[in-house]
PDB file of all heavy atoms in Angstrom:
ATOM      1  N   LEU A 273     -39.013  17.418   3.234  1.00 98.00           N
ATOM      2  CA  LEU A 273     -40.145  16.836   2.509  1.00 98.00           C
ATOM      3  C   LEU A 273     -39.800  16.566   1.053  1.00 98.00           C
ATOM      4  O   LEU A 273     -39.356  17.472   0.340  1.00 98.00           O
ATOM      5  CB  LEU A 273     -41.300  17.848   2.582  1.00 98.00           C
ATOM      6  CG  LEU A 273     -42.618  17.412   1.967  1.00 98.00           C
ATOM      7  CD1 LEU A 273     -43.223  16.260   2.759  1.00 98.00           C
ATOM      8  CD2 LEU A 273     -43.592  18.592   1.943  1.00 98.00           C
ATOM      9  N   ASN A 274     -40.025  15.326   0.632  1.00 98.00           N
ATOM     10  CA  ASN A 274     -39.833  15.007  -0.781  1.00 98.00           C
ATOM     11  C   ASN A 274     -41.168  15.252  -1.492  1.00 98.00           C
ATOM     12  O   ASN A 274     -42.118  14.487  -1.327  1.00 98.00           O
ATOM     13  CB  ASN A 274     -39.407  13.540  -0.929  1.00 98.00           C
ATOM     14  CG  ASN A 274     -39.105  13.179  -2.369  1.00 98.00           C
ATOM     15  OD1 ASN A 274     -39.796  13.637  -3.279  1.00 98.00           O
ATOM     16  ND2 ASN A 274     -38.103  12.358  -2.578  1.00 98.00           N
ATOM     17  N   PRO A 275     -41.261  16.343  -2.277  1.00 98.00           N
ATOM     18  CA  PRO A 275     -42.573  16.716  -2.833  1.00 98.00           C
ATOM     19  C   PRO A 275     -43.102  15.678  -3.822  1.00 98.00           C
ATOM     20  O   PRO A 275     -44.311  15.484  -3.930  1.00 98.00           O
ATOM     21  CB  PRO A 275     -42.301  18.054  -3.522  1.00 98.00           C
ATOM     22  CG  PRO A 275     -40.836  18.080  -3.786  1.00 98.00           C
ATOM     23  CD  PRO A 275     -40.190  17.258  -2.718  1.00 98.00           C
ATOM     24  N   PHE A 276     -42.186  15.000  -4.521  1.00 98.00           N
ATOM     25  CA  PHE A 276     -42.614  14.008  -5.519  1.00 98.00           C
ATOM     26  C   PHE A 276     -43.206  12.775  -4.813  1.00 98.00           C
ATOM     27  O   PHE A 276     -44.244  12.251  -5.200  1.00 98.00           O
ATOM     28  CB  PHE A 276     -41.438  13.601  -6.415  1.00 98.00           C
ATOM     29  CG  PHE A 276     -40.817  14.793  -7.112  1.00 98.00           C
ATOM     30  CD1 PHE A 276     -39.638  15.363  -6.639  1.00 98.00           C
ATOM     31  CD2 PHE A 276     -41.435  15.366  -8.215  1.00 98.00           C
ATOM     32  CE1 PHE A 276     -39.085  16.469  -7.264  1.00 98.00           C
ATOM     33  CE2 PHE A 276     -40.880  16.477  -8.851  1.00 98.00           C
ATOM     34  CZ  PHE A 276     -39.696  17.032  -8.368  1.00 98.00           C
ATOM     35  N   MET A 277     -42.513  12.349  -3.738  1.00 97.00           N
ATOM     36  CA  MET A 277     -43.005  11.193  -2.981  1.00 97.00           C
ATOM     37  C   MET A 277     -44.300  11.547  -2.255  1.00 97.00           C
ATOM     38  O   MET A 277     -45.184  10.712  -2.088  1.00 97.00           O
ATOM     39  CB  MET A 277     -41.965  10.733  -1.948  1.00 97.00           C
ATOM     40  CG  MET A 277     -40.663  10.231  -2.526  1.00 97.00           C
ATOM     41  SD  MET A 277     -40.874   8.960  -3.763  1.00 97.00           S
ATOM     42  CE  MET A 277     -41.532   7.656  -2.760  1.00 97.00           C
ATOM     43  N   LEU A 278     -44.396  12.806  -1.813  1.00 97.00           N
ATOM     44  CA  LEU A 278     -45.612  13.213  -1.103  1.00 97.00           C
ATOM     45  C   LEU A 278     -46.821  13.135  -2.041  1.00 97.00           C
ATOM     46  O   LEU A 278     -47.896  12.678  -1.634  1.00 97.00           O
ATOM     47  CB  LEU A 278     -45.472  14.638  -0.543  1.00 97.00           C
ATOM     48  CG  LEU A 278     -46.689  15.091   0.266  1.00 97.00           C
ATOM     49  CD1 LEU A 278     -46.836  14.290   1.558  1.00 97.00           C
ATOM     50  CD2 LEU A 278     -46.645  16.576   0.587  1.00 97.00           C
ATOM     51  N   VAL A 279     -46.625  13.550  -3.284  1.00 97.00           N
ATOM     52  CA  VAL A 279     -47.720  13.467  -4.255  1.00 97.00           C
ATOM     53  C   VAL A 279     -48.154  12.006  -4.420  1.00 97.00           C
ATOM     54  O   VAL A 279     -49.343  11.697  -4.424  1.00 97.00           O
ATOM     55  CB  VAL A 279     -47.303  14.110  -5.604  1.00 97.00           C
ATOM     56  CG1 VAL A 279     -48.279  13.749  -6.713  1.00 97.00           C
ATOM     57  CG2 VAL A 279     -47.212  15.623  -5.451  1.00 97.00           C
ATOM     58  N   ASP A 280     -47.187  11.098  -4.513  1.00 95.00           N
ATOM     59  CA  ASP A 280     -47.527   9.662  -4.626  1.00 95.00           C
ATOM     60  C   ASP A 280     -48.308   9.201  -3.401  1.00 95.00           C
ATOM     61  O   ASP A 280     -49.283   8.460  -3.508  1.00 95.00           O
ATOM     62  CB  ASP A 280     -46.255   8.795  -4.723  1.00 95.00           C
ATOM     63  CG  ASP A 280     -45.580   8.977  -6.076  1.00 95.00           C
ATOM     64  OD1 ASP A 280     -46.201   9.584  -6.969  1.00 95.00           O
ATOM     65  OD2 ASP A 280     -44.426   8.520  -6.218  1.00 95.00           O
ATOM     66  N   GLU A 281     -47.839   9.651  -2.226  1.00 95.00           N
ATOM     67  CA  GLU A 281     -48.480   9.237  -0.971  1.00 95.00           C
ATOM     68  C   GLU A 281     -49.921   9.775  -0.903  1.00 95.00           C
ATOM     69  O   GLU A 281     -50.837   9.056  -0.501  1.00 95.00           O
ATOM     70  CB  GLU A 281     -47.649   9.785   0.196  1.00 95.00           C
ATOM     71  CG  GLU A 281     -47.581   8.864   1.383  1.00 95.00           C
ATOM     72  CD  GLU A 281     -46.673   9.415   2.476  1.00 95.00           C
ATOM     73  OE1 GLU A 281     -45.515   9.769   2.167  1.00 95.00           O
ATOM     74  OE2 GLU A 281     -47.115   9.500   3.621  1.00 95.00           O
ATOM     75  N   ILE A 282     -50.073  11.031  -1.319  1.00 95.00           N
ATOM     76  CA  ILE A 282     -51.417  11.637  -1.311  1.00 95.00           C
ATOM     77  C   ILE A 282     -52.329  10.884  -2.286  1.00 95.00           C
ATOM     78  O   ILE A 282     -53.482  10.573  -1.976  1.00 95.00           O
ATOM     79  CB  ILE A 282     -51.346  13.147  -1.682  1.00 95.00           C
ATOM     80  CG1 ILE A 282     -50.701  13.926  -0.539  1.00 95.00           C
ATOM     81  CG2 ILE A 282     -52.728  13.699  -2.009  1.00 95.00           C
ATOM     82  CD1 ILE A 282     -50.470  15.411  -0.815  1.00 95.00           C
ATOM     83  N   ASN A 283     -51.799  10.546  -3.464  1.00 94.00           N
ATOM     84  CA  ASN A 283     -52.617   9.826  -4.444  1.00 94.00           C
ATOM     85  C   ASN A 283     -53.036   8.455  -3.931  1.00 94.00           C
ATOM     86  O   ASN A 283     -54.159   8.014  -4.147  1.00 94.00           O
ATOM     87  CB  ASN A 283     -51.872   9.686  -5.778  1.00 94.00           C
ATOM     88  CG  ASN A 283     -51.850  11.019  -6.514  1.00 94.00           C
ATOM     89  OD1 ASN A 283     -52.723  11.873  -6.286  1.00 94.00           O
ATOM     90  ND2 ASN A 283     -50.855  11.221  -7.378  1.00 94.00           N
ATOM     91  N   GLU A 284     -52.107   7.808  -3.211  1.00 92.00           N
ATOM     92  CA  GLU A 284     -52.407   6.496  -2.627  1.00 92.00           C
ATOM     93  C   GLU A 284     -53.562   6.599  -1.621  1.00 92.00           C
ATOM     94  O   GLU A 284     -54.479   5.786  -1.605  1.00 92.00           O
ATOM     95  CB  GLU A 284     -51.159   6.015  -1.894  1.00 92.00           C
ATOM     96  CG  GLU A 284     -50.892   4.529  -1.973  1.00 92.00           C
ATOM     97  CD  GLU A 284     -49.585   4.226  -1.256  1.00 92.00           C
ATOM     98  OE1 GLU A 284     -48.509   4.663  -1.739  1.00 92.00           O
ATOM     99  OE2 GLU A 284     -49.651   3.596  -0.207  1.00 92.00           O
ATOM    100  N   VAL A 285     -53.492   7.665  -0.812  1.00 92.00           N
ATOM    101  CA  VAL A 285     -54.529   7.894   0.195  1.00 92.00           C
ATOM    102  C   VAL A 285     -55.868   8.187  -0.498  1.00 92.00           C
ATOM    103  O   VAL A 285     -56.919   7.671  -0.120  1.00 92.00           O
ATOM    104  CB  VAL A 285     -54.089   9.060   1.122  1.00 92.00           C
ATOM    105  CG1 VAL A 285     -55.240   9.594   1.942  1.00 92.00           C
ATOM    106  CG2 VAL A 285     -52.969   8.604   2.046  1.00 92.00           C
ATOM    107  N   LYS A 286     -55.814   8.997  -1.585  1.00 92.00           N
ATOM    108  CA  LYS A 286     -57.049   9.332  -2.323  1.00 92.00           C
ATOM    109  C   LYS A 286     -57.642   8.088  -2.972  1.00 92.00           C
ATOM    110  O   LYS A 286     -58.845   7.863  -2.934  1.00 92.00           O
ATOM    111  CB  LYS A 286     -56.744  10.364  -3.418  1.00 92.00           C
ATOM    112  CG  LYS A 286     -56.601  11.782  -2.885  1.00 92.00           C
ATOM    113  CD  LYS A 286     -56.404  12.727  -4.053  1.00 92.00           C
ATOM    114  CE  LYS A 286     -56.307  14.166  -3.591  1.00 92.00           C
ATOM    115  NZ  LYS A 286     -55.779  15.035  -4.641  1.00 92.00           N
ATOM    116  N   GLU A 287     -56.751   7.255  -3.557  1.00 90.00           N
ATOM    117  CA  GLU A 287     -57.243   6.009  -4.182  1.00 90.00           C
ATOM    118  C   GLU A 287     -57.882   5.089  -3.152  1.00 90.00           C
ATOM    119  O   GLU A 287     -58.754   4.294  -3.475  1.00 90.00           O
ATOM    120  CB  GLU A 287     -56.091   5.275  -4.891  1.00 90.00           C
ATOM    121  CG  GLU A 287     -55.811   5.839  -6.274  1.00 90.00           C
ATOM    122  CD  GLU A 287     -54.390   5.535  -6.742  1.00 90.00           C
ATOM    123  OE1 GLU A 287     -53.806   4.540  -6.267  1.00 90.00           O
ATOM    124  OE2 GLU A 287     -53.878   6.315  -7.576  1.00 90.00           O
ATOM    125  N   GLY A 288     -57.429   5.220  -1.909  1.00 87.00           N
ATOM    126  CA  GLY A 288     -58.012   4.433  -0.824  1.00 87.00           C
ATOM    127  C   GLY A 288     -59.356   4.986  -0.364  1.00 87.00           C
ATOM    128  O   GLY A 288     -59.922   4.509   0.609  1.00 87.00           O
ATOM    129  N   GLY A 289     -59.827   6.038  -1.027  1.00 88.00           N
ATOM    130  CA  GLY A 289     -61.169   6.574  -0.733  1.00 88.00           C
ATOM    131  C   GLY A 289     -61.164   7.765   0.209  1.00 88.00           C
ATOM    132  O   GLY A 289     -62.214   8.259   0.602  1.00 88.00           O
ATOM    133  N   ILE A 290     -59.959   8.254   0.605  1.00 88.00           N
ATOM    134  CA  ILE A 290     -59.904   9.402   1.521  1.00 88.00           C
ATOM    135  C   ILE A 290     -59.671  10.647   0.673  1.00 88.00           C
ATOM    136  O   ILE A 290     -58.550  10.899   0.213  1.00 88.00           O
ATOM    137  CB  ILE A 290     -58.728   9.290   2.535  1.00 88.00           C
ATOM    138  CG1 ILE A 290     -58.481   7.861   2.971  1.00 88.00           C
ATOM    139  CG2 ILE A 290     -58.879  10.245   3.699  1.00 88.00           C
ATOM    140  CD1 ILE A 290     -59.575   7.231   3.743  1.00 88.00           C
ATOM    141  N   THR A 291     -60.701  11.422   0.450  1.00 87.00           N
ATOM    142  CA  THR A 291     -60.526  12.606  -0.395  1.00 87.00           C
ATOM    143  C   THR A 291     -60.633  13.891   0.414  1.00 87.00           C
ATOM    144  O   THR A 291     -60.124  14.927   0.020  1.00 87.00           O
ATOM    145  CB  THR A 291     -61.578  12.624  -1.522  1.00 87.00           C
ATOM    146  OG1 THR A 291     -62.822  12.276  -0.944  1.00 87.00           O
ATOM    147  CG2 THR A 291     -61.228  11.631  -2.624  1.00 87.00           C
ATOM    148  N   ASN A 292     -61.268  13.774   1.595  1.00 91.00           N
ATOM    149  CA  ASN A 292     -61.498  14.982   2.399  1.00 91.00           C
ATOM    150  C   ASN A 292     -60.489  15.156   3.523  1.00 91.00           C
ATOM    151  O   ASN A 292     -60.855  15.488   4.633  1.00 91.00           O
ATOM    152  CB  ASN A 292     -62.890  14.898   3.029  1.00 91.00           C
ATOM    153  CG  ASN A 292     -63.865  15.672   2.193  1.00 91.00           C
ATOM    154  OD1 ASN A 292     -63.448  16.497   1.388  1.00 91.00           O
ATOM    155  ND2 ASN A 292     -65.134  15.393   2.374  1.00 91.00           N
ATOM    156  N   PHE A 293     -59.216  14.896   3.233  1.00 93.00           N
ATOM    157  CA  PHE A 293     -58.231  15.013   4.319  1.00 93.00           C
ATOM    158  C   PHE A 293     -57.820  16.469   4.496  1.00 93.00           C
ATOM    159  O   PHE A 293     -57.980  17.289   3.594  1.00 93.00           O
ATOM    160  CB  PHE A 293     -57.015  14.132   4.037  1.00 93.00           C
ATOM    161  CG  PHE A 293     -56.340  14.449   2.737  1.00 93.00           C
ATOM    162  CD1 PHE A 293     -55.409  15.463   2.652  1.00 93.00           C
ATOM    163  CD2 PHE A 293     -56.662  13.730   1.594  1.00 93.00           C
ATOM    164  CE1 PHE A 293     -54.802  15.760   1.455  1.00 93.00           C
ATOM    165  CE2 PHE A 293     -56.061  14.027   0.389  1.00 93.00           C
ATOM    166  CZ  PHE A 293     -55.129  15.042   0.313  1.00 93.00           C
ATOM    167  N   ASN A 294     -57.304  16.746   5.687  1.00 96.00           N
ATOM    168  CA  ASN A 294     -56.832  18.100   6.003  1.00 96.00           C
ATOM    169  C   ASN A 294     -55.327  18.080   6.135  1.00 96.00           C
ATOM    170  O   ASN A 294     -54.802  17.449   7.059  1.00 96.00           O
ATOM    171  CB  ASN A 294     -57.392  18.520   7.370  1.00 96.00           C
ATOM    172  CG  ASN A 294     -58.790  19.052   7.229  1.00 96.00           C
ATOM    173  OD1 ASN A 294     -59.019  19.970   6.459  1.00 96.00           O
ATOM    174  ND2 ASN A 294     -59.712  18.459   7.959  1.00 96.00           N
ATOM    175  N   LEU A 295     -54.633  18.771   5.251  1.00 98.00           N
ATOM    176  CA  LEU A 295     -53.167  18.766   5.299  1.00 98.00           C
ATOM    177  C   LEU A 295     -52.623  20.180   5.163  1.00 98.00           C
ATOM    178  O   LEU A 295     -52.995  20.913   4.238  1.00 98.00           O
ATOM    179  CB  LEU A 295     -52.623  17.892   4.151  1.00 98.00           C
ATOM    180  CG  LEU A 295     -51.107  17.870   3.986  1.00 98.00           C
ATOM    181  CD1 LEU A 295     -50.425  17.196   5.181  1.00 98.00           C
ATOM    182  CD2 LEU A 295     -50.706  17.131   2.688  1.00 98.00           C
ATOM    183  N   LEU A 296     -51.736  20.553   6.095  1.00 98.00           N
ATOM    184  CA  LEU A 296     -51.047  21.845   6.013  1.00 98.00           C
ATOM    185  C   LEU A 296     -49.544  21.566   5.935  1.00 98.00           C
ATOM    186  O   LEU A 296     -49.018  20.780   6.720  1.00 98.00           O
ATOM    187  CB  LEU A 296     -51.334  22.706   7.242  1.00 98.00           C
ATOM    188  CG  LEU A 296     -52.807  23.028   7.557  1.00 98.00           C
ATOM    189  CD1 LEU A 296     -52.898  23.903   8.798  1.00 98.00           C
ATOM    190  CD2 LEU A 296     -53.483  23.721   6.377  1.00 98.00           C
ATOM    191  N   ILE A 297     -48.886  22.216   4.979  1.00 98.00           N
ATOM    192  CA  ILE A 297     -47.433  22.039   4.829  1.00 98.00           C
ATOM    193  C   ILE A 297     -46.772  23.382   5.125  1.00 98.00           C
ATOM    194  O   ILE A 297     -47.141  24.400   4.531  1.00 98.00           O
ATOM    195  CB  ILE A 297     -47.084  21.611   3.385  1.00 98.00           C
ATOM    196  CG1 ILE A 297     -47.802  20.297   3.022  1.00 98.00           C
ATOM    197  CG2 ILE A 297     -45.579  21.482   3.201  1.00 98.00           C
ATOM    198  CD1 ILE A 297     -47.715  19.947   1.538  1.00 98.00           C
ATOM    199  N   SER A 298     -45.801  23.366   6.024  1.00 98.00           N
ATOM    200  CA  SER A 298     -45.117  24.620   6.358  1.00 98.00           C
ATOM    201  C   SER A 298     -44.418  25.198   5.128  1.00 98.00           C
ATOM    202  O   SER A 298     -43.699  24.488   4.420  1.00 98.00           O
ATOM    203  CB  SER A 298     -44.076  24.370   7.448  1.00 98.00           C
ATOM    204  OG  SER A 298     -43.221  25.490   7.526  1.00 98.00           O
ATOM    205  N   ASN A 299     -44.596  26.503   4.922  1.00 98.00           N
ATOM    206  CA  ASN A 299     -43.875  27.152   3.819  1.00 98.00           C
ATOM    207  C   ASN A 299     -42.373  27.213   4.113  1.00 98.00           C
ATOM    208  O   ASN A 299     -41.573  27.495   3.243  1.00 98.00           O
ATOM    209  CB  ASN A 299     -44.454  28.556   3.538  1.00 98.00           C
ATOM    210  CG  ASN A 299     -44.644  29.379   4.809  1.00 98.00           C
ATOM    211  OD1 ASN A 299     -44.146  29.004   5.875  1.00 98.00           O
ATOM    212  ND2 ASN A 299     -45.355  30.492   4.711  1.00 98.00           N
ATOM    213  N   ARG A 300     -42.000  26.925   5.365  1.00 98.00           N
ATOM    214  CA  ARG A 300     -40.575  26.990   5.736  1.00 98.00           C
ATOM    215  C   ARG A 300     -39.884  25.627   5.670  1.00 98.00           C
ATOM    216  O   ARG A 300     -38.683  25.540   5.901  1.00 98.00           O
ATOM    217  CB  ARG A 300     -40.427  27.551   7.149  1.00 98.00           C
ATOM    218  CG  ARG A 300     -40.844  29.014   7.261  1.00 98.00           C
ATOM    219  CD  ARG A 300     -40.667  29.538   8.671  1.00 98.00           C
ATOM    220  NE  ARG A 300     -40.876  30.972   8.734  1.00 98.00           N
ATOM    221  CZ  ARG A 300     -42.058  31.562   8.911  1.00 98.00           C
ATOM    222  NH1 ARG A 300     -43.147  30.832   9.068  1.00 98.00           N
ATOM    223  NH2 ARG A 300     -42.156  32.883   8.947  1.00 98.00           N
ATOM    224  N   CYS A 301     -40.628  24.568   5.433  1.00 98.00           N
ATOM    225  CA  CYS A 301     -39.944  23.261   5.466  1.00 98.00           C
ATOM    226  C   CYS A 301     -39.150  23.033   4.174  1.00 98.00           C
ATOM    227  O   CYS A 301     -39.530  23.505   3.103  1.00 98.00           O
ATOM    228  CB  CYS A 301     -40.906  22.128   5.801  1.00 98.00           C
ATOM    229  SG  CYS A 301     -41.745  21.401   4.438  1.00 98.00           S
ATOM    230  N   HIS A 302     -38.047  22.346   4.311  1.00 98.00           N
ATOM    231  CA  HIS A 302     -37.136  22.171   3.170  1.00 98.00           C
ATOM    232  C   HIS A 302     -37.517  20.975   2.319  1.00 98.00           C
ATOM    233  O   HIS A 302     -37.995  19.968   2.836  1.00 98.00           O
ATOM    234  CB  HIS A 302     -35.693  22.046   3.686  1.00 98.00           C
ATOM    235  CG  HIS A 302     -35.102  23.381   4.007  1.00 98.00           C
ATOM    236  ND1 HIS A 302     -34.067  23.945   3.300  1.00 98.00           N
ATOM    237  CD2 HIS A 302     -35.466  24.303   4.938  1.00 98.00           C
ATOM    238  CE1 HIS A 302     -33.802  25.144   3.803  1.00 98.00           C
ATOM    239  NE2 HIS A 302     -34.629  25.374   4.799  1.00 98.00           N
ATOM    240  N   LEU A 303     -37.282  21.123   1.018  1.00 98.00           N
ATOM    241  CA  LEU A 303     -37.681  20.073   0.083  1.00 98.00           C
ATOM    242  C   LEU A 303     -36.501  19.175  -0.285  1.00 98.00           C
ATOM    243  O   LEU A 303     -35.400  19.671  -0.577  1.00 98.00           O
ATOM    244  CB  LEU A 303     -38.267  20.693  -1.188  1.00 98.00           C
ATOM    245  CG  LEU A 303     -39.537  21.541  -1.000  1.00 98.00           C
ATOM    246  CD1 LEU A 303     -40.032  22.063  -2.351  1.00 98.00           C
ATOM    247  CD2 LEU A 303     -40.651  20.759  -0.307  1.00 98.00           C
ATOM    248  N   ILE A 304     -36.757  17.883  -0.282  1.00 98.00           N
ATOM    249  CA  ILE A 304     -35.744  16.928  -0.737  1.00 98.00           C
ATOM    250  C   ILE A 304     -35.809  16.911  -2.261  1.00 98.00           C
ATOM    251  O   ILE A 304     -36.859  16.650  -2.854  1.00 98.00           O
ATOM    252  CB  ILE A 304     -36.017  15.516  -0.178  1.00 98.00           C
ATOM    253  CG1 ILE A 304     -35.970  15.551   1.360  1.00 98.00           C
ATOM    254  CG2 ILE A 304     -35.016  14.497  -0.739  1.00 98.00           C
ATOM    255  CD1 ILE A 304     -36.344  14.235   2.028  1.00 98.00           C
ATOM    256  N   MET A 305     -34.683  17.227  -2.867  1.00 98.00           N
ATOM    257  CA  MET A 305     -34.596  17.304  -4.333  1.00 98.00           C
ATOM    258  C   MET A 305     -34.031  15.978  -4.868  1.00 98.00           C
ATOM    259  O   MET A 305     -33.343  15.263  -4.127  1.00 98.00           O
ATOM    260  CB  MET A 305     -33.650  18.445  -4.726  1.00 98.00           C
ATOM    261  CG  MET A 305     -34.177  19.811  -4.370  1.00 98.00           C
ATOM    262  SD  MET A 305     -35.465  20.269  -5.544  1.00 98.00           S
ATOM    263  CE  MET A 305     -36.767  20.612  -4.455  1.00 98.00           C
ATOM    264  N   PRO A 306     -34.262  15.681  -6.139  1.00 98.00           N
ATOM    265  CA  PRO A 306     -33.744  14.405  -6.685  1.00 98.00           C
ATOM    266  C   PRO A 306     -32.236  14.252  -6.486  1.00 98.00           C
ATOM    267  O   PRO A 306     -31.745  13.152  -6.219  1.00 98.00           O
ATOM    268  CB  PRO A 306     -34.083  14.503  -8.176  1.00 98.00           C
ATOM    269  CG  PRO A 306     -35.193  15.489  -8.265  1.00 98.00           C
ATOM    270  CD  PRO A 306     -35.049  16.431  -7.114  1.00 98.00           C
ATOM    271  N   TYR A 307     -31.489  15.379  -6.547  1.00 98.00           N
ATOM    272  CA  TYR A 307     -30.029  15.261  -6.378  1.00 98.00           C
ATOM    273  C   TYR A 307     -29.649  14.878  -4.949  1.00 98.00           C
ATOM    274  O   TYR A 307     -28.576  14.326  -4.717  1.00 98.00           O
ATOM    275  CB  TYR A 307     -29.284  16.534  -6.833  1.00 98.00           C
ATOM    276  CG  TYR A 307     -29.843  17.853  -6.329  1.00 98.00           C
ATOM    277  CD1 TYR A 307     -29.541  18.333  -5.064  1.00 98.00           C
ATOM    278  CD2 TYR A 307     -30.654  18.630  -7.145  1.00 98.00           C
ATOM    279  CE1 TYR A 307     -30.038  19.543  -4.613  1.00 98.00           C
ATOM    280  CE2 TYR A 307     -31.160  19.846  -6.711  1.00 98.00           C
ATOM    281  CZ  TYR A 307     -30.861  20.306  -5.440  1.00 98.00           C
ATOM    282  OH  TYR A 307     -31.360  21.493  -5.001  1.00 98.00           O
ATOM    283  N   HIS A 308     -30.537  15.154  -3.987  1.00 98.00           N
ATOM    284  CA  HIS A 308     -30.233  14.733  -2.600  1.00 98.00           C
ATOM    285  C   HIS A 308     -30.195  13.206  -2.496  1.00 98.00           C
ATOM    286  O   HIS A 308     -29.401  12.642  -1.749  1.00 98.00           O
ATOM    287  CB  HIS A 308     -31.284  15.308  -1.629  1.00 98.00           C
ATOM    288  CG  HIS A 308     -31.169  16.787  -1.453  1.00 98.00           C
ATOM    289  ND1 HIS A 308     -32.248  17.640  -1.385  1.00 98.00           N
ATOM    290  CD2 HIS A 308     -30.072  17.585  -1.344  1.00 98.00           C
ATOM    291  CE1 HIS A 308     -31.827  18.881  -1.237  1.00 98.00           C
ATOM    292  NE2 HIS A 308     -30.513  18.878  -1.209  1.00 98.00           N
ATOM    293  N   LEU A 309     -31.072  12.552  -3.247  1.00 98.00           N
ATOM    294  CA  LEU A 309     -31.084  11.076  -3.236  1.00 98.00           C
ATOM    295  C   LEU A 309     -29.805  10.532  -3.872  1.00 98.00           C
ATOM    296  O   LEU A 309     -29.186   9.596  -3.363  1.00 98.00           O
ATOM    297  CB  LEU A 309     -32.308  10.532  -3.973  1.00 98.00           C
ATOM    298  CG  LEU A 309     -33.590  10.510  -3.142  1.00 98.00           C
ATOM    299  CD1 LEU A 309     -34.285  11.848  -3.129  1.00 98.00           C
ATOM    300  CD2 LEU A 309     -34.534   9.450  -3.630  1.00 98.00           C
TER     301      LEU A 309
END
Side-chain angles (χ1 to χ4, degrees):
L273 184 67
N274 184 322
F276 303 101
M277 296 307 294
L278 183 67
V279 166
D280 289 349
E281 216 176 308
I282 289 175
N283 286 336
E284 217 177 293
V285 165
K286 282 184 178 165
E287 278 157 25
I290 324 295
T291 44
N292 263 342
F293 58 84
N294 277 305
L295 175 66
L296 303 181
I297 301 169
S298 166
N299 47 12
R300 293 181 172 87
C301 88
H302 280 247
L303 298 182
I304 299 175
M305 293 284 125
Y307 47 82
H308 290 139
L309 278 83

